[in-house]
Amino acid sequence: MAIPKEHLVAMCSTMFKIRYFEEQIRQIYTEGKSPVFDIAAGTIPGEMHLAAGQEPVAVGVMPHLQPGDAITATHRPHHVAIAQGVDLNEMTAEIFGKSTGLGKGKGGHMHLFSTDPSFGCSGIIAEGMPTACGAGLAFKRLGQNNVAISFFGEGAANQGAFHESLNLAALWELPVVFICEDNAFAISVPKTASTAIADNSDRASAYGIPGVLVTDNDPVAVYEVAGEAIRRARAGEGPSLIEVKTDRLWGHFEGDADAYRADDFKQAMLDRDPIQTFPQRLVEEGLLTESEVERLRAEATEQVDAAIEFARSSPFPEPEDALLHVFA
Amino acid sequence: MAIPKEHLVAMCSTMFKIRYFEEQIRQIYTEGKSPVFDIAAGTIPGEMHLAAGQEPVAVGVMPHLQPGDAITATHRPHHVAIAQGVDLNEMTAEIFGKSTGLGKGKGGHMHLFSTDPSFGCSGIIAEGMPTACGAGLAFKRLGQNNVAISFFGEGAANQGAFHESLNLAALWELPVVFICEDNAFAISVPKTASTAIADNSDRASAYGIPGVLVTDNDPVAVYEVAGEAIRRARAGEGPSLIEVKTDRLWGHFEGDADAYRADDFKQAMLDRDPIQTFPQRLVEEGLLTESEVERLRAEATEQVDAAIEFARSSPFPEPEDALLHVFA
Amino acid sequence: MTTLVERKLTTQKAIAEAIAQEMERDDRVLVMGEDIGVYGGIFGATEGLLDRFGPDRVIDTPISETGFIGAAVGAALHGLRPIAELMFVDFFGVCMDQIYNHMAKIHYFSGGAISVPMVLTTAVGGGYSDAGQHSQTLWGTFAHLPGMKVVIPSNPYDAKGLMISAIRDDNPVLYMFHKGVLGLGWMTHNPRATGSVPEEAYTVPLGEAAVAREGTDVTIATVGLSVHRALDAADLLAGDGISAEVLDLRTLVPLDKTALADSVRKTHRLLVVDEDYRSFGMTAEVAMTAIEEAFDHLDAAPARLAVPDVPIPYSRPLEQFVLPDPESIAASATSLIRG
Amino acid sequence: MTTLVERKLTTQKAIAEAIAQEMERDDRVLVMGEDIGVYGGIFGATEGLLDRFGPDRVIDTPISETGFIGAAVGAALHGLRPIAELMFVDFFGVCMDQIYNHMAKIHYFSGGAISVPMVLTTAVGGGYSDAGQHSQTLWGTFAHLPGMKVVIPSNPYDAKGLMISAIRDDNPVLYMFHKGVLGLGWMTHNPRATGSVPEEAYTVPLGEAAVAREGTDVTIATVGLSVHRALDAADLLAGDGISAEVLDLRTLVPLDKTALADSVRKTHRLLVVDEDYRSFGMTAEVAMTAIEEAFDHLDAAPARLAVPDVPIPYSRPLEQFVLPDPESIAASATSLIRG
Ligand SMILES: Cc1ncc(C[n+]2csc(CCOP(=O)(O)OP(=O)(O)O)c2C)c(N)n1
Ligand SMILES: Cc1ncc(C[n+]2csc(CCOP(=O)(O)OP(=O)(O)O)c2C)c(N)n1
Ligand SMILES: [Mg+2]
Ligand SMILES: [Mg+2]
């Protein structure tokens, strides 16, 4: 492992931050929703897609990013946004629907937009991919040495926008890296019922670009593959497609009974949970001590708690503000 | 060549019919459009996409069809419709906008629909592909031993619907054959400026289905490849993707100055025009005599002339009929 | 007063039952869409169907709306009568071509020779903070484009009868169910989402509005969850001495102009309420229709209340501000009457 | 009376000139779309640009509308000011999600923090037998959905000024040019498609209607080619002693309510003419707006004339029957006035 220690530490600490964040949101999401669950009620209403288990995909990419790089993510965006360093206070406040949020409460958890770092997401499957191409086009045209990273689920790989985006990026040799988070399910539909082939990375050949499969839900494996793809993109060698086999530990959205996934499938995921295995490995390999791990965990907790406190104590927008910001 | 003689003869005679039809339409299209060209004027107004040069793709498929098989085609549909045996009188009358037309004058040349044989086309790029999947689904569900053939241009292969359709057909093992007519141009945009790889047949691997390239604009080559794909589909072995390198001899639509294609490119097409080379070859191989070829040509001419006469002498629909047929 | 114990169902169960009965009756009916199998539909419209009819007729699809809705069109052209589900209407942008250029136009293009007997079901509406890509109604968008019927049930009885009519119709029918009228356990409780539903199959004709509440002073015309809001508003108005008639349009295409005109001839005043965007949508169309059909009977210009022309915002106070509610409906009706 | 020789351009050349001048002025402007390079745009809107600005700024695309319009959105978010061309508006169904859920909403989702400065150009309209998938106007569809301005020039002068405004606007602007107003050599000759256009750059503000002809008896409000039809109708009406005012709305979003109300206050009668489908579209919206803004000044209910709710048919007699023309406009105006 020729990975600089600070990258390993950063990945580990970011994983802690993501997981703790998702756990907190999961908890807070239930506030005001009992004894009767009502999706419209509580501190955080609406749909909530959490990414616990998918941290490695996000944190493995992060150490390779440079200022000005752009990311587009999906309906399940928190892990990616946190890894990229989107302002945690503003992001959390947005999820709480507060006026201090990234979108002043207008966007919500599926519509987090930030300019610095450049982050965007969408609730429409695969539709973040074309905008990533556009970011890449702008970088190329403006002579910026930046890359755009597009995250999407394996379910998205059967949507037309996937195909159009891959072809466009390959054709125009855009600095874009496409990262498919394959958690084997699109809501209840298993990949075997949606995708005619086993691995989306094999679809790269339809565009003449590199396609790489990462079979382990492991930050280091992602780090290595993403590093090479980002290097290529930054060097003007064009886009790449990466598929990472990852795990969605919880339901598709909060409140999902998750009855469509077998118990042993779910148990197997818990058994290999990277939030346990990755720090363990760093300790085993002597890169971190147990107490350093605990410190990282504590720091992560502290930042997330502060962000949640910021969100909680922020005011709601004024109702009439709904009418603002349709046009610039 | 283990091809039954009657198939070769049928292919040849159908090619004559198609070419003569397209030539006649081309001629008639100019009626009422001089001295000043006005797309709205004349016997046949509107856009007109002719398929001269692409006959081999259509006729090579035809001998393998059985009653009940379905075809979807594109904005450039005549060659395919004629090869399938769509009623020539009604089709021609539709192109003339007459009440005796397939669609009583409502559809026009990009919207030819027939039930027996089952033919449909669309003016929207790649959007005939999903409906072909649906035909295949119906055949499968209803236990009909039929196949659906979807024709589309190489330009269509970069549209989302291509990807979704191929994946769906492969996933559900539908009896569908996808045939890409690669004439190297989408209006003025060369394939090299639209498609990240050289051959769309290579995209079949993204769906785990056979992909075959036919490099010659030759009915026999198409016949062989299409025969195997249709056999597979009919046998329940799933879909195939075929790309045929073919030639669009004329402009994208009538009136197109065609300035974007080099003179030598255009000359090379004329030099290898299958309407010359194919009958020649049949004569050389002793399968047809010169006089038999002439008889086929004459028969084709006669049928097309009769259809045009039918169309010319048919009445226009009553203006108020525009209000009919929105709902059944 | 009836002594029969009437069977009560939620709108969601009424829809699922209608589909099941038609699948039972007609082998050509099948259902396709995302999560409509094991999951039973995100909003339960296909609950129980997989178990009963198996995976050949209850088909989970990839997230390929153009692909599978187009496949439904193709299947409808070749002897089946498919029901395709677009999970949220908000996603129409990825597959609209199949819907409006193919599903809705092929019958016309063919000069009436070919029909496209299919139902496209879709969930609409907001009010639960699902933000700007999961909360729209968009029925105005579809009703504007020719060739598809547009059905919007507001209660369990209609939901079943309209669904059976839709499936039996030889035309493409867009069946838009508002999430708020379904009676889902995980949505805000809505007593009007449960009601008496006969067990046997029955139809509610497409193109007939229903008077949801009779009144004499003002007609409140609307669809979907806003029918419930209007009924609540009518209660408020009654307390204020105003007798409001609530007209549930039930289908926007065909639009029941007769019922609208009849109601307006009685009340002489019209308020059109809509959960779709205000401009270039339902409110102006219904208001103008009333003007065209019954101008001389109107004592005032029709009024309209709809979502202002802004995307649906996420945060609760913002979203509640843009949606019509009983109070704002009552206020609009009052000012229409009292000036 | 001026002695200056004024420069005449067709609308098509005025559009291409506007784009060229803005590309000259602002390096961030680029154009992308199908056949917009060597071909110069199927309708000539990008004529000459490839030679002048090269393939880095004039980019022919694959037939991937979701891909390249989405790329334009992404580029607009990252410092460019793209112009993307959707060849015919009829194709919106393959890419609407990028248009209405992304281009039009990102500014709102970001609470105003991020803007999407881009122009989406598209050809609209029929009348030349291009049938049901190549002849629609569909502006009602776009104007119904929040977050994008909708611009529809009817003449060369406006076309240039509106295009320059659109490019300089920090919002997404949908710029819809009717094929019939472009002055293309291969379309039916239209004298109004050629007119004086200043050489230097100038703007026509978005959101201001123009009185195309003054009159006192009736206001005919419309857009695009129907402005020309209305002007011809006004000639016919003048012969019949009726003085018609023709109001060219020019943009549907923003809609110039003031100009509409002003005109109606003068004429007391309104006829709205539209080449889009009649129901749930522009005619009802403009009519209701007039009612809301100037009810007391109306001597009669507003009337509307639009494409009936049928797909655009191919055959000439059928298509001519469904499109508004000077005669049908004059007849509608006459019956509005004389009953
Ligand atoms: C175009 C579109 N179709 C359907 C949906 C509904 N939907 C939301 S998430 C989801 C599953 C996505 O699966 P995947 O891409 O694998 O991402 P994951 O949820 O597993 O992270 C679906 C179908 C949508 N948002 N957009
Ligand atoms: C979705 C869509 N985009 C663009 C067009 C405009 N258009 C019509 S034909 C054509 C080129 C098609 O090229 P190809 O698929 O190669 O078919 P060919 O014309 O060569 O037969 C284009 C871009 C369209 N009809 N539909
Ligand atoms: Mg997934
Ligand atoms: Mg081609």
Side-chain angles (χ1 to χ4, degrees):
Chain A
M1 238 200 291
I3 305 184
K5 180 176 168 187
E6 74 262 29
H7 285 179
L8 291 167
V9 172
M11 292 196 291
C12 183
S13 104
T14 307
M15 281 179 67
F16 287 145
K17 205 197 289 190
I18 294 169
R19 178 63 61 90
Y20 183 69
F21 184 85
E22 298 294 63
E23 285 168 348
Q24 289 308 105
I25 297 291
R26 190 181 209 204
Q27 186 53 44
I28 295 164
Y29 187 77
T30 65
E31 286 178 15
K33 291 198 185 67
S34 65
V36 182
F37 182 93
D38 173 359
I39 188 171
T43 307
I44 302 178
E47 279 183 74
M48 182 50 61
H49 311 85
L50 299 176
Q54 301 188 191
E55 297 88 351
V57 195
V59 304
V61 170
M62 174 197 54
H64 306 292
L65 297 183
Q66 292 182 7
D69 289 347
I71 285 185
T72 66
T74 70
H75 57 287
R76 196 181 304 289
H78 301 169
H79 58 317
V80 182
I82 292 173
Q84 198 197 7
V86 171
D87 187 287
L88 196 62
N89 283 358
E90 294 182 17
M91 171 180 156
T92 311
E94 186 61 27
I95 295 168
F96 279 64
K98 297 302 182 72
S99 66
T100 53
L102 285 170
K104 301 191 169 64
K106 294 206 152 92
H109 117 100
M110 288 189 271
H111 309 292
L112 304 169
F113 287 89
S114 154
T115 39
D116 185 16
S118 169
F119 179 87
C121 56
S122 172
I124 310 296
I125 295 303
E127 295 285 333
M129 305 181 73
T131 37
C133 293
L137 180 68
F139 297 151
K140 201 170 168 175
R141 165 101 199 95
L142 297 171
Q144 287 172 223
N145 191 25
N146 282 115
V147 300
I149 320 272
S150 170
F151 288 82
F152 58 98
E154 93 295 335
N158 302 308
Q159 179 70 225
F162 165 92
H163 179 62
E164 297 189 9
S165 301
L166 270 282
N167 183 61
L168 214 60
L171 184 71
W172 294 345
E173 295 176 328
L174 300 177
V176 183
V177 177
F178 297 97
I179 302 188
C180 181
E181 303 184 74
D182 176 10
N183 58 18
F185 279 85
I187 313 184
S188 71
V189 179
K191 193 181 190 185
T192 48
S194 72
T195 312
I197 59 172
D199 302 314
N200 282 304
S201 47
D202 288 343
R203 290 180 163 174
S205 67
Y207 315 100
I209 61 171
V212 186
L213 183 67
V214 178
T215 52
D216 292 323
N217 190 25
D218 168 22
V220 169
V222 174
Y223 177 96
E224 284 169 349
V225 170
E228 168 58 10
I230 292 170
R231 185 204 61 71
R232 277 179 53 86
R234 234 185 271 287
E237 294 167 30
S240 307
L241 172 62
I242 297 168
E243 178 159 85
V244 184
K245 306 281 177 198
T246 187
D247 291 325
R248 153 161 76 74
L249 291 181
W250 304 335
H252 172 74
F253 34 41
E254 291 310 293
D256 178 3
D258 204 354
Y260 49 83
R261 298 195 297 182
D263 284 341
D264 55 352
F265 181 95
K266 286 187 260 193
Q267 190 54 50
M269 288 195 300
L270 294 176
D271 292 344
R272 62 181 178 237
D273 185 350
I275 209 73
Q276 305 297 343
T277 57
F278 186 58
Q280 247 163 39
R281 189 165 121 199
L282 295 186
V283 171
E284 277 163 20
E285 294 186 7
L287 286 154
L288 285 176
T289 64
E290 290 278 5
S291 70
E292 279 171 324
V293 167
E294 284 323 302
R295 192 179 43 75
L296 293 179
R297 207 188 297 273
E299 279 169 13
T301 301
E302 204 174 308
Q303 286 173 47
V304 170
D305 284 341
I308 288 169
E309 180 46 34
F310 174 81
R312 281 198 194 273
S313 61
S314 289
F316 278 105
E318 292 304 316
E320 314 78 55
D321 289 354
L323 304 179
L324 304 176
H325 307 309
V326 180
F327 290 111
Chain B
M1 235 199 295
I3 304 184
K5 180 176 168 185
E6 73 263 27
H7 285 179
L8 291 166
V9 172
M11 292 196 289
C12 183
S13 105
T14 307
M15 281 180 66
F16 287 146
K17 206 198 286 190
I18 294 168
R19 178 63 60 92
Y20 183 68
F21 184 85
E22 297 294 62
E23 284 168 349
Q24 289 308 104
I25 298 290
R26 190 179 209 204
Q27 186 53 44
I28 295 164
Y29 188 75
T30 65
E31 285 178 15
K33 291 198 185 67
S34 67
V36 182
F37 182 93
D38 173 358
I39 188 171
T43 307
I44 302 178
E47 279 183 75
M48 182 51 61
H49 311 85
L50 300 176
Q54 300 186 193
E55 297 89 351
V57 195
V59 303
V61 170
M62 173 198 54
H64 306 292
L65 297 183
Q66 293 182 6
D69 288 347
I71 286 184
T72 67
T74 69
H75 58 287
R76 196 181 304 289
H78 302 169
H79 58 316
V80 182
I82 292 172
Q84 198 198 7
V86 171
D87 187 287
L88 196 62
N89 284 358
E90 294 183 16
M91 170 180 157
T92 312
E94 186 62 26
I95 295 168
F96 279 64
K98 297 301 182 73
S99 66
T100 53
L102 285 171
K104 301 191 169 65
K106 295 205 152 94
H109 117 100
M110 286 189 272
H111 309 293
L112 304 169
F113 287 90
S114 154
T115 39
D116 185 17
S118 170
F119 179 88
C121 56
S122 173
I124 310 297
I125 295 303
E127 295 284 333
M129 304 181 74
T131 38
C133 293
L137 180 68
F139 297 151
K140 201 170 167 174
R141 165 102 199 96
L142 297 171
Q144 287 173 223
N145 192 24
N146 281 116
V147 300
I149 321 272
S150 170
F151 287 82
F152 57 99
E154 94 294 337
N158 301 308
Q159 178 70 225
F162 165 92
H163 178 63
E164 297 190 8
S165 302
L166 270 283
N167 183 61
L168 215 59
L171 184 71
W172 295 346
E173 296 176 328
L174 300 177
V176 184
V177 178
F178 297 96
I179 302 188
C180 181
E181 303 185 74
D182 177 10
N183 58 18
F185 279 85
I187 313 183
S188 70
V189 179
K191 193 180 189 185
T192 48
S194 72
T195 312
I197 59 171
D199 302 314
N200 282 305
S201 47
D202 288 343
R203 290 179 163 174
S205 66
Y207 316 100
I209 62 171
V212 186
L213 183 68
V214 177
T215 51
D216 292 323
N217 191 24
D218 168 23
V220 169
V222 174
Y223 178 96
E224 283 168 350
V225 169
E228 169 58 9
I230 292 171
R231 185 204 62 70
R232 276 180 54 87
R234 235 186 268 289
E237 294 167 30
S240 307
L241 172 61
I242 297 169
E243 177 159 85
V244 184
K245 305 281 177 199
T246 187
D247 291 324
R248 154 161 75 74
L249 290 181
W250 304 335
H252 172 74
F253 35 41
E254 292 309 294
D256 178 3
D258 205 355
Y260 49 82
R261 299 196 296 181
D263 284 341
D264 54 353
F265 181 95
K266 286 187 260 192
Q267 189 55 50
M269 288 196 299
L270 294 176
D271 292 344
R272 62 182 179 236
D273 185 349
I275 208 73
Q276 305 297 342
T277 57
F278 186 57
Q280 247 164 40
R281 189 165 121 201
L282 295 186
V283 171
E284 277 162 21
E285 294 185 7
L287 286 155
L288 285 177
T289 64
E290 290 279 5
S291 70
E292 279 170 325
V293 166
E294 283 324 304
R295 192 178 44 75
L296 292 180
R297 207 188 298 271
E299 278 168 15
T301 301
E302 204 176 307
Q303 286 173 47
V304 170
D305 284 342
I308 288 170
E309 180 46 35
F310 174 81
R312 280 201 196 273
S313 61
S314 290
F316 277 106
E318 292 304 317
E320 314 78 53
D321 290 353
L323 304 180
L324 303 177
H325 308 308
V326 180
F327 290 111
Chain C
M1 200 198 286
T2 171
T3 51
L4 276 171
V5 179
E6 291 190 310
R7 199 180 62 130
K8 304 267 184 196
L9 287 187
T10 61
T11 303
Q12 171 257 316
K13 293 209 186 294
I15 294 172
E17 178 172 283
I19 299 176
Q21 289 179 345
E22 287 302 291
M23 290 184 75
E24 198 68 64
R25 193 184 65 81
D26 187 343
D27 209 36
R28 298 166 304 172
V29 179
L30 52 72
V31 191
M32 34 203 303
E34 293 149 20
D35 304 287
I36 59 108
V38 176
Y39 203 103
I42 294 298
F43 301 100
T46 57
E47 195 183 52
L49 298 182
L50 177 65
D51 282 349
R52 199 149 149 207
F53 300 101
D56 284 350
R57 294 181 67 195
V58 182
I59 310 174
D60 267 333
T61 64
I63 310 173
S64 308
E65 286 85 356
T66 290
F68 77 77
I69 294 175
V73 173
L77 295 173
H78 290 90
L80 300 181
R81 300 181 77 87
I83 302 170
E85 179 166 296
L86 176 64
M87 192 188 291
F88 288 70
V89 74
D90 311 67
F91 310 157
F92 86 97
V94 304
C95 55
M96 189 58 169
D97 188 69
Q98 281 299 328
I99 297 171
Y100 102 106
N101 263 337
H102 293 86
M103 181 184 87
K105 287 182 183 162
I106 285 177
H107 181 69
Y108 191 79
F109 288 155
S110 77
I114 298 180
S115 54
V116 188
M118 65 176 278
V119 181
L120 182 64
T121 60
T122 192
V124 305
Y128 62 102
S129 291
D130 215 359
Q133 293 176 340
H134 290 75
S135 302
Q136 302 165 99
T137 64
L138 299 180
W139 37 59
T141 299
F142 292 89
H144 178 53
L145 300 166
M148 54 194 143
K149 299 189 177 176
V150 177
V151 176
I152 307 157
S154 74
N155 61 63
Y157 181 89
D158 285 355
K160 179 169 175 180
L162 291 168
M163 176 58 85
I164 292 180
S165 293
I167 295 171
R168 295 184 188 175
D169 201 294
D170 281 337
N171 295 289
V173 179
L174 179 65
Y175 184 100
M176 311 181 94
F177 47 81
H178 194 296
K179 298 156 214 166
V181 309
L182 292 177
L184 297 169
W186 46 279
M187 286 264 168
T188 307
H189 178 64
N190 174 355
R192 290 198 180 84
T194 304
S196 300
V197 178
E199 190 141 10
E200 71 281 5
Y202 61 91
T203 58
V204 170
L206 309 186
E208 287 188 16
V211 176
R213 172 178 174 139
E214 298 221 28
T216 53
D217 297 337
V218 59
T219 298
I220 306 177
T222 189
V223 289
L225 183 62
S226 291
V227 173
H228 304 198
R229 296 170 174 136
L231 290 169
D232 288 343
D235 283 341
L236 297 175
L237 289 163
D240 214 18
I242 294 175
S243 163
E245 172 144 316
V246 177
L247 187 67
D248 181 351
L249 297 168
R250 297 203 292 197
T251 63
L252 290 185
V253 180
L255 182 64
D256 189 347
K257 299 182 181 187
T258 309
L260 178 66
D262 286 349
S263 180
V264 163
R265 267 192 287 269
K266 185 169 73 168
T267 64
H268 309 294
R269 283 187 164 77
L270 174 65
L271 170 65
V272 191
V273 174
D274 194 6
E275 197 186 313
D276 198 358
Y277 303 115
R278 173 183 169 98
S279 295
F280 300 85
M282 184 189 107
T283 51
E285 182 63 31
V286 173
M288 263 306 280
T289 301
I291 287 173
E292 286 161 350
E293 302 285 319
F295 186 64
D296 295 340
H297 299 270
L298 281 167
D299 286 350
R304 46 183 177 156
L305 178 69
V307 174
D309 298 317
V310 310
I312 309 290
Y314 162 68
S315 184
R316 194 180 292 122
L318 301 176
E319 185 185 25
Q320 295 304 323
F321 179 78
V322 305
L323 297 180
D325 60 27
E327 289 71 29
S328 60
I329 295 171
S332 294
T334 304
S335 82
L336 175 60
I337 291 170
R338 305 211 169 130
Chain D
M1 201 198 287
T2 171
T3 51
L4 275 170
V5 178
E6 290 189 309
R7 198 180 63 128
K8 304 268 185 196
L9 287 187
T10 61
T11 303
Q12 171 256 316
K13 294 211 186 292
I15 294 172
E17 178 170 284
I19 299 176
Q21 288 179 346
E22 288 303 290
M23 290 184 75
E24 198 68 64
R25 193 184 64 85
D26 186 344
D27 209 37
R28 299 166 302 173
V29 178
L30 51 73
V31 192
M32 36 202 302
E34 294 149 20
D35 304 286
I36 58 107
V38 177
Y39 204 102
I42 294 298
F43 302 100
T46 56
E47 197 183 51
L49 298 182
L50 177 64
D51 282 350
R52 201 150 147 204
F53 301 101
D56 284 351
R57 293 181 69 195
V58 182
I59 310 173
D60 267 333
T61 63
I63 310 173
S64 308
E65 285 86 356
T66 290
F68 77 77
I69 293 174
V73 173
L77 295 173
H78 290 91
L80 300 181
R81 300 181 77 87
I83 301 170
E85 179 166 297
L86 176 63
M87 192 188 289
F88 287 70
V89 74
D90 311 68
F91 310 157
F92 86 97
V94 303
C95 55
M96 189 59 169
D97 188 69
Q98 282 300 327
I99 297 171
Y100 102 106
N101 262 337
H102 293 85
M103 181 184 88
K105 288 182 183 161
I106 285 176
H107 181 70
Y108 191 79
F109 288 154
S110 77
I114 299 181
S115 54
V116 188
M118 65 177 277
V119 181
L120 182 63
T121 61
T122 192
V124 304
Y128 63 102
S129 292
D130 214 359
Q133 292 176 341
H134 290 76
S135 302
Q136 301 165 100
T137 64
L138 299 179
W139 36 59
T141 299
F142 292 89
H144 178 53
L145 301 166
M148 54 193 145
K149 298 189 178 177
V150 177
V151 175
I152 306 157
S154 73
N155 62 63
Y157 180 90
D158 285 354
K160 179 169 175 180
L162 291 168
M163 176 57 85
I164 292 179
S165 292
I167 296 171
R168 295 184 189 174
D169 201 293
D170 281 336
N171 296 289
V173 179
L174 179 65
Y175 184 100
M176 311 181 94
F177 47 80
H178 194 296
K179 298 155 214 167
V181 309
L182 292 177
L184 297 169
W186 46 280
M187 286 265 169
T188 308
H189 179 65
N190 174 355
R192 291 198 180 83
T194 304
S196 300
V197 177
E199 189 141 10
E200 71 280 5
Y202 61 92
T203 58
V204 170
L206 308 186
E208 287 187 16
V211 176
R213 171 178 174 138
E214 299 221 28
T216 53
D217 297 336
V218 58
T219 298
I220 306 177
T222 190
V223 288
L225 182 62
S226 291
V227 172
H228 304 197
R229 295 170 175 136
L231 289 169
D232 288 343
D235 283 341
L236 296 176
L237 289 163
D240 212 20
I242 295 174
S243 164
E245 172 142 314
V246 177
L247 188 67
D248 180 350
L249 297 168
R250 297 203 290 199
T251 64
L252 291 185
V253 180
L255 182 65
D256 189 347
K257 298 182 181 186
T258 309
L260 178 66
D262 286 350
S263 180
V264 164
R265 266 193 287 269
K266 184 169 73 168
T267 64
H268 309 293
R269 282 188 164 77
L270 174 66
L271 169 65
V272 190
V273 174
D274 194 7
E275 196 186 314
D276 198 356
Y277 303 114
R278 173 184 169 99
S279 295
F280 300 84
M282 184 188 109
T283 51
E285 182 63 31
V286 172
M288 263 306 280
T289 301
I291 287 173
E292 286 161 350
E293 302 285 318
F295 186 64
D296 294 340
H297 299 270
L298 280 167
D299 286 350
R304 47 184 178 156
L305 178 68
V307 174
D309 298 317
V310 309
I312 309 290
Y314 162 68
S315 183
R316 195 181 291 122
L318 301 177
E319 186 185 24
Q320 295 305 321
F321 179 77
V322 305
L323 296 180
D325 60 27
E327 289 71 30
S328 61
I329 296 171
S332 294
T334 303
S335 81
L336 176 60
I337 290 170
R338 307 213 169 128

